[in-house]
Amino acid sequence: MRLMAKFWARVQLFSVLVLIIFMAIFMTVPAHAGDASAWVRNDHAAVRLVSAHQSLPADGAIRLGLEFTLKPGWHIYWRAPGDAGIPPQVDWAGSDNFAHAVIRWPLPERFTIFGLTTFVYGGNVILPITARATRAGETIKLRAKVNYLACEKICIPYDASLT
C-alpha cells in the first residue's frame, strides 16, 4: 500500500511538472502574430524587421523589432559600444507615411578582447523599436537600410535592406 502511494505521488508530481512546462511554452507564444520582413543572411549573421502588428494601430504608433541572429562566437554592438565598435544604424529613407522611430536598447553583455572592453549582443537579439506614422489610420510602408558590424576577433561590416 505504501509503495502504491509513493507511485501515485510521483505520477502527480510528474503531471504538475508537465503542466508547468506546457503553460510556460504556450504563455510565450503571442496571442496574434505580427508581420516580418525576409531574413537577410550572410556568413556570420542574419537580420530582419519584425512587427507586433499586422495593421497600423489607430494612434499611429507601431511596435517593431530589429532581430539579429548571429553565429556562435559572433556579436554586434550596443548603442555605446565601449572601447571599440559601432552600433547598428538604421536609415528609414524611402519609407512612406513614416515620421520617426526610436530604438530601445536592451542591456548588453560585457566583452573583452585584446585589452579592449566593449558592450555587445550575441546569439539572438531583438532591438525593440517604436515607430510612428505621419498619418494615423493610413498604410505605412517601411524601408530600413541597416548597417552593422558582425564581429568575432575581427569585424566585418554588413548592410541589409529590409521592407
Side-chain angles (χ1 to χ4, degrees), residues 1-160:
M1 188 71 148
R2 192 174 182 151
L3 189 58
M4 191 62 107
K6 282 185 177 181
F7 170 76
W8 284 113
R10 286 187 178 167
V11 167
Q12 287 176 335
L13 178 62
F14 178 76
S15 299
V16 168
L17 289 174
V18 168
L19 179 64
I20 290 171
I21 290 169
F22 276 110
M23 286 176 59
I25 290 170
F26 288 112
M27 289 176 67
T28 60
V29 175
H32 55 73
D35 202 2
S37 71
W39 285 100
V40 175
R41 301 177 187 281
N42 56 55
D43 292 339
H44 309 103
V47 62
R48 71 177 178 168
L49 191 61
V50 296
S51 172
H53 313 276
Q54 286 188 338
S55 60
L56 187 63
D59 67 356
I62 188 166
R63 291 186 326 258
L64 305 168
L66 188 58
E67 183 175 8
F68 289 89
T69 299
L70 297 131
K71 299 268 173 120
W74 289 80
H75 60 265
I76 59 170
Y77 289 97
W78 186 48
R79 70 174 176 214
D83 294 333
I86 298 171
Q89 298 174 5
V90 183
D91 180 358
W92 299 98
S95 294
D96 185 38
N97 190 23
F98 174 82
H100 67 275
V102 176
I103 297 176
R104 310 269 188 242
W105 298 85
L107 190 63
E109 297 177 32
R110 182 183 301 258
F111 179 75
T112 303
I113 189 169
F114 305 125
L116 301 172
T117 299
T118 57
F119 300 97
V120 302
Y121 304 109
N124 185 277
V125 63
I126 297 177
L127 303 179
I129 299 171
T130 302
R132 183 149 311 269
T134 306
R135 300 170 306 278
E138 293 183 23
T139 300
I140 186 170
K141 292 184 181 178
L142 298 174
R143 290 183 187 357
K145 183 174 182 185
V146 181
N147 299 307
Y148 66 99
L149 293 176
C151 305
E152 187 189 37
K153 292 179 182 168
I154 62 163
C155 291
I156 301 172
Y158 288 110
D159 296 324

